[in-house]
Amino acid sequence: MTDLQSIVEEIARELEPRFGEGRVADYIPQLARVNPRQFGIAVTTVDGDMFLGGDAEVPFSIQSISKVFTLTIALGKHGESIWSRVGREPSGSAFNSIVQLERENGIPRNPFINAGAIAITDLVLAGHTPKEAIGEIVRFVRYLADEDGIVVDHEVAKSEAATGFRNHALANFMRSFGKLDHPVDHVLGVYFHQCALSMSCRQLAKAGLYLAGGGRNPTTGHRVVSHLRARRINALMLTCGHYDGSGEFAYRVGLPGKSGVGGGILAIAPGKASIAVWSPGLNDNGNSLLGSTALEMLAERTGWSIFGY
Ligand code: GLU
């Protein structure tokens, strides 16, 4: 176990000369002004041990990583019927592409591209006001991480709303196909708040632990989802979790993962550990450049991979 601590520290140390590489997301000021030279890593094992390196305690905007948690809520609420609203195939195009959506009659390719995540948020809204749905998402993430201090950054949510023209287009488009049940403003209001959740690597790794533990968080004992459902969420993370860089991530890292434009990545080593990395600089596919590299190093040094040993 101390081995893991030294691996995590080594990775942070070895990457230090490269801190600041990549391009920070600049579509909203709150992300554009984040110090690009930050790097954090947290590994929490199914035995309940936690290993931290770099800026693992600094909260950042989890953005699209929230899509894993809303997918879990939607599956809990509606079961497998959600798959009539959203597909399960990698998109092979940009995370916010509208072209594919038109060709496929308003059914987004998967729950992790923007259109798909917006469709999922619409399902989370069922029976709720937007405020209640946001409350449900925040409470769920706190429950997963077993931490009450996790909050939404309202400035980020406001900026997302003010600049989210393309998300408005995607949502209106789906609504025109009759594929959203709620008013576009309500759905996007919730979507922008889930993206604006602010979490540290340590909190995020803890929140993902149920996916490493066969659906059960081994440290709290909470069964969050069934074994089968955890396996399937992991499958979607592997095939669709990194936009059109998902194949590359599977090749290099070999673990299910979900990234966000804030520079975070949640990765799962099933049966072993939940891992969160963060570094704001992104690669050409919009995934954290050093975060992906750190996960590649971790997978190599621990031997963790879903494809072999
Ligand atoms: N809030 C961002 C958007 O919807 C999330 C993008 C991301 O992390 O991929 O554009």
Side-chain angles (χ1 to χ4, degrees), residues 117-130:
I118 291 167
I120 292 292
T121 301
D122 182 56
L123 294 169
V124 171
L125 247 175
H128 283 319
T129 63

Side-chain angles (χ1 to χ4, degrees), residues 27 63-64 67 95 114 160 167 191 195 243 260-261:
Y27 69 97
Q63 293 292 329
S64 281
K67 296 170 182 175
F95 69 99
N114 280 18
E160 295 274 350
N167 287 323
Y191 174 75
C195 286
Y243 315 116
V261 287

Side-chain angles (χ1 to χ4, degrees), residues 80-193:
E80 298 291 311
S81 71
I82 70 164
W83 303 118
S84 63
R85 290 294 179 88
V86 60
R88 300 192 291 261
E89 293 297 337
S91 72
S93 49
F95 69 99
N96 54 8
S97 167
I98 201 164
V99 180
Q100 202 162 50
L101 199 53
E102 166 143 48
R103 229 183 293 120
E104 297 176 1
N105 302 322
I107 305 279
R109 269 290 168 99
N110 67 65
F112 294 150
I113 51 172
N114 280 18
I118 291 167
I120 292 292
T121 301
D122 182 56
L123 294 169
V124 171
L125 247 175
H128 283 319
T129 63
K131 220 180 189 160
E132 288 165 353
I134 295 165
E136 181 179 8
I137 296 167
V138 174
R139 275 195 304 280
F140 182 64
V141 173
R142 287 178 181 168
Y143 159 80
L144 290 178
D146 198 26
E147 293 230 6
D148 284 338
I150 296 168
V151 291
V152 167
D153 182 330
H154 291 281
E155 289 303 309
V156 171
K158 230 190 281 167
S159 280
E160 295 274 350
T163 59
F165 305 113
R166 192 180 280 255
N167 287 323
H168 274 97
L170 291 169
N172 276 304
F173 205 66
M174 286 191 283
R175 179 99 189 189
S176 79
F177 278 106
K179 303 296 184 202
L180 288 186
D181 295 331
H182 301 90
V184 164
D185 282 354
H186 290 196
V187 182
L188 288 181
V190 179
Y191 174 75
F192 293 137
H193 279 79

Side-chain angles (χ1 to χ4, degrees), residues 5 32 62 95 102 127 137-138 148 155 169 187 213-214 218 241 249 266 270 274 279 283 293 295 307:
Q5 185 57 42
I62 71 163
F95 69 99
E102 166 143 48
I137 296 167
V138 174
D148 284 338
E155 289 303 309
V187 182
F249 186 82
L266 172 65
S274 167
S279 182
N283 63 20
T293 308
L295 287 169
F307 296 110

Side-chain angles (χ1 to χ4, degrees), residues 190 236 258 298:
V190 179
L236 290 161
K258 180 72 203 87
L298 183 75

